[in-house]
Amino acid sequence: MAPYVPGDHMNFGQMKVGYSVDEGEVETAHLDPRLPLLQHADLKDKVVLLRVDHNVVKKGKILDQYRIDVTLATMYNIIERGGRPIIMTHINRPYDKKTKTLTVKQDDAVDAVVAYLQRKLRIKFAVPQFHINEKEGIHDIDTSINWLIQDLRARKIGGIYLPNTRWFAGEEDKGANMERFVVQLAGLADVYVNDAFGSWQPHASTYHITKYLPSYAGLCMQAELSHVREVLEPKLPFVAVVAGSKYDTKIGPLTEIYKKVDKLILGGIIYNTFLCAKYNVRMKGVEQSDIDLAKGLVEQDKVEKKILELPLIIETDTLKGRFEGQFRTINIKDFKEGQEYSYVVDVDPASFEVPEVQNVLSSAKTIFVNAVMGMMPAFWHGTSKMDEAIDRNSTAQKFFGGGDTLQEFKSLWPGLYQAALDSAKYYLFTGGGTVLKVLEEGDPFGLPTVRALIENGERFSYQNGHQNGSSSRGSSPPRL
């Protein structure tokens, strides 16, 4: 990225956002009335710290800009109403929990996101540079950022985009590093806005920051919270399709989803684990501890029979790719107790042509998808057929969620993906894991980051959705 030169800036070009404050009011019907909303914030001449979920970069490149585009309305709203934005997001997982080291790599930088925003909005964003400590990341937001904030207030630049929040030692910390980082973040701004529905974990930039600044839900956050209610209270029959690479991380959501659905379709390692537990077979890559966990679901399903088993699966001798002669279709009806299999890496597309599977998908009124069925990119065929089969149901309300789910949907069916963005029958969530968490907990307003906004609103004395004394700050962190 070209170095920032103070005073260098670009103005807004023609921008089609299609979201006004009045239109925003329509979306609030299903929201908790205690939730402070961006529409009610006093933003004129305020520096606004905006947390987004622009975690769309892999190896330095944007794979799907959807999670950026859905936050443009919030950015526009802030700027149009006189606010000056400082934006932040996390990208990937630079912290290694095993070695307890934080590695700062250019592949995890925000540069690609900033370049996209500058092309899209014709606004100049400045990315501040801070000292990086080897294996520990960035300890402090130093005072050099004050020059950028001066230019931001003077409208010499359109915005500031902070480095990857997970490059900061305090972002995921629970001690002194976190507290110092939060105080420094709060010292940059007058108002905080959370538009990162997909980032529900209580980290410094999503949760603890609300202790110090008047805080509001952005327009994307509001839309996600409103639509997730339709998954919690679905039209029946309700079918969910869930896949994943680890069973133990999904057992909580799966248990709750099972209670709500009429039929549940599994994929990935989750499905492999279920099959191993039910049929007492072994597959490479499936851990015994996960099989033991899955036995509870197997027992439950013997009675309720909600899990719709996809009968044909793909076994391969190698994980290095899809090589002729080294993979084959097997039928779960042919399982024999005690039998061992190699890696199962996909569902055969023919599974979605089985009459029982077709009938379940075609008769559903609500379908929720958080699933990539196969090991990408080599084994994409099952996922492609799944997307096609679901789209055949033109009357169902279809909800897709999760970065990988959306990315593969766009990659495999670009035309259908674009049509889905404009279709009233589709809604694409920015955070599939967050939807699963909501399904597990049963209340979107119980998410830690959303609850923090509500508690902030009560602390700052919001009345009827409007803040009483909006110029006040929380614990008054020092300015940098």
Side-chain angles (χ1 to χ4, degrees):
M1 179 171 294
Y4 164 69
V5 179
D8 179 29
H9 67 283
M10 296 171 69
N11 294 320
F12 262 104
Q14 294 299 315
M15 183 173 164
K16 297 181 180 178
V17 176
Y19 202 121
S20 70
V21 175
D22 289 340
E23 287 171 337
E25 299 288 351
V26 178
E27 298 294 328
T28 65
H30 299 294
L31 298 178
D32 189 314
R34 299 172 300 164
L35 182 68
L37 307 180
L38 171 64
Q39 298 92 304
H40 303 147
D42 176 10
L43 302 179
K44 186 172 178 57
D45 298 325
K46 299 288 199 308
V47 174
V48 180
L49 189 62
L50 172 62
R51 178 56 157 92
V52 292
D53 182 5
H54 290 172
N55 182 25
V56 296
V57 177
K58 288 189 178 179
K59 296 183 179 179
K61 295 182 179 180
I62 295 174
L63 297 180
D64 181 8
Q65 67 270 28
Y66 175 71
R67 277 188 280 178
I68 303 176
D69 289 346
V70 293
T71 63
L72 295 181
T74 293
M75 294 181 204
Y76 178 77
N77 188 289
I78 290 170
I79 295 172
E80 190 270 337
R81 293 169 57 213
R84 312 304 299 142
I86 298 178
I87 304 173
M88 54 182 178
T89 186
H90 75 277
I91 291 177
N92 299 325
R93 295 184 175 93
Y95 181 72
D96 188 322
K97 293 181 180 179
K98 292 182 179 178
T99 63
K100 295 184 178 180
T101 58
L102 201 164
T103 304
V104 174
K105 299 186 300 183
Q106 193 60 29
D107 282 354
D108 298 333
V110 299
D111 292 15
V113 175
V114 172
Y116 174 79
L117 285 173
Q118 290 186 154
R119 291 194 305 270
K120 187 85 171 179
L121 306 181
R122 300 183 184 277
I123 291 178
K124 177 64 179 180
F125 284 91
V127 181
Q129 306 295 314
F130 304 120
H131 177 71
I132 297 171
N133 297 274
E134 187 177 358
K135 297 183 179 180
E136 295 179 359
I138 301 171
H139 281 186
D140 293 293
I141 299 174
D142 61 56
T143 55
S144 64
I145 196 173
N146 287 337
W147 294 103
L148 297 183
I149 293 176
Q150 286 181 21
D151 279 352
L152 182 67
R153 289 186 180 276
R155 301 179 184 274
K156 293 181 179 178
I157 55 175
I160 296 172
Y161 207 119
L162 296 179
N164 184 347
T165 60
R166 290 186 180 173
W167 282 2
F168 290 88
E171 171 68 343
E172 298 180 85
D173 187 63
K174 293 180 174 62
N177 283 336
M178 178 273 290
E179 193 60 40
R180 185 170 67 248
F181 179 43
V182 171
V183 169
Q184 291 173 354
L185 274 179
L188 303 177
D190 305 296
V191 175
Y192 170 73
V193 175
N194 191 341
D195 217 26
F197 175 79
S199 303
W200 64 265
Q201 297 89 342
H203 293 158
S205 67
T206 59
Y207 178 82
H208 297 285
I209 184 66
T210 63
K211 298 172 186 175
Y212 293 102
L213 294 173
S215 303
Y216 303 86
L219 301 179
C220 173
M221 173 74 82
Q222 294 173 37
E224 301 279 82
L225 290 171
S226 181
H227 281 91
V228 79
R229 179 66 62 186
E230 298 178 57
V231 182
L232 277 174
E233 302 169 359
K235 294 180 180 178
L236 303 179
F238 177 30
V239 177
V241 187
V242 180
S245 59
K246 284 287 287 181
Y247 188 89
D248 60 351
T249 61
K250 294 286 180 74
I251 187 169
L254 274 178
T255 301
E256 293 305 314
I257 289 172
Y258 190 91
K259 297 175 183 177
K260 295 177 173 65
V261 299
D262 294 285
K263 288 294 181 181
L264 176 62
I265 298 174
L266 302 176
I269 295 295
I270 289 178
Y271 187 39
N272 296 352
T273 305
F274 174 82
L275 292 175
C276 288
K278 180 174 181 177
Y279 294 100
N280 194 21
V281 297
R282 293 304 304 266
M283 299 176 187
K284 285 186 178 180
V286 178
E287 299 179 9
Q288 183 61 48
S289 58
D290 285 344
I291 295 174
D292 293 338
L293 285 174
K295 288 178 180 177
L297 185 60
V298 170
E299 289 302 312
Q300 186 177 6
D301 198 56
K302 285 181 179 178
V303 178
E304 300 187 50
K305 301 186 184 303
K306 290 185 175 183
I307 294 179
L308 178 62
E309 296 178 18
L310 301 175
L312 305 173
I313 55 180
I314 303 296
E315 179 192 30
T316 182
D317 301 325
T318 176
L319 297 180
K320 294 181 179 179
R322 184 184 177 94
F323 302 109
E324 197 65 39
Q326 295 191 45
F327 68 91
R328 63 207 62 86
T329 296
I330 55 178
N331 194 318
I332 64 174
K333 292 180 180 178
D334 297 329
F335 280 162
K336 292 181 175 60
E337 194 168 326
Q339 198 165 4
E340 295 188 5
Y341 292 90
S342 188
Y343 302 101
V344 173
V345 291
D346 200 3
V347 172
D348 191 306
S351 286
F352 291 99
E353 299 294 345
V354 173
E356 184 183 5
V357 177
Q358 284 187 329
N359 291 339
V360 165
L361 289 176
S362 63
S363 62
K365 296 298 182 186
T366 306
I367 303 174
F368 171 67
V369 182
N370 178 225
V372 175
M373 305 304 283
M375 189 189 75
M376 310 301 284
F379 294 91
W380 52 265
H381 307 72
T383 304
S384 177
K385 191 65 176 179
M386 174 193 73
D387 293 340
E388 179 186 358
I390 289 171
D391 186 63
R392 286 180 193 156
N393 185 335
S394 59
T395 60
Q397 195 67 44
K398 297 173 275 287
F399 299 92
F400 280 60
D404 290 340
T405 302
L406 298 186
Q407 178 187 317
E408 299 306 337
F409 185 24
K410 179 181 180 180
S411 174
L412 296 171
W413 291 96
L416 175 57
Y417 175 88
Q418 289 299 323
L421 292 177
D422 296 322
S423 171
K425 290 298 181 181
Y426 276 90
Y427 186 80
L428 309 184
F429 285 105
T430 57
T434 307
V435 178
L436 292 178
K437 183 66 176 176
V438 169
L439 288 169
E440 181 180 2
E441 299 295 333
D443 179 15
F445 303 100
L447 291 169
T449 50
V450 179
R451 191 175 66 248
L453 293 174
I454 292 173
E455 291 172 355
N456 175 279
E458 294 169 344
R459 193 162 57 247
F460 280 81
S461 302
Y462 293 93
Q463 296 179 348
N464 300 320
H466 290 74
Q467 186 184 353
N468 182 15
S470 60
S471 62
S472 64
R473 294 164 64 86
S475 301
S476 298
R479 292 293 189 182
L480 292 177

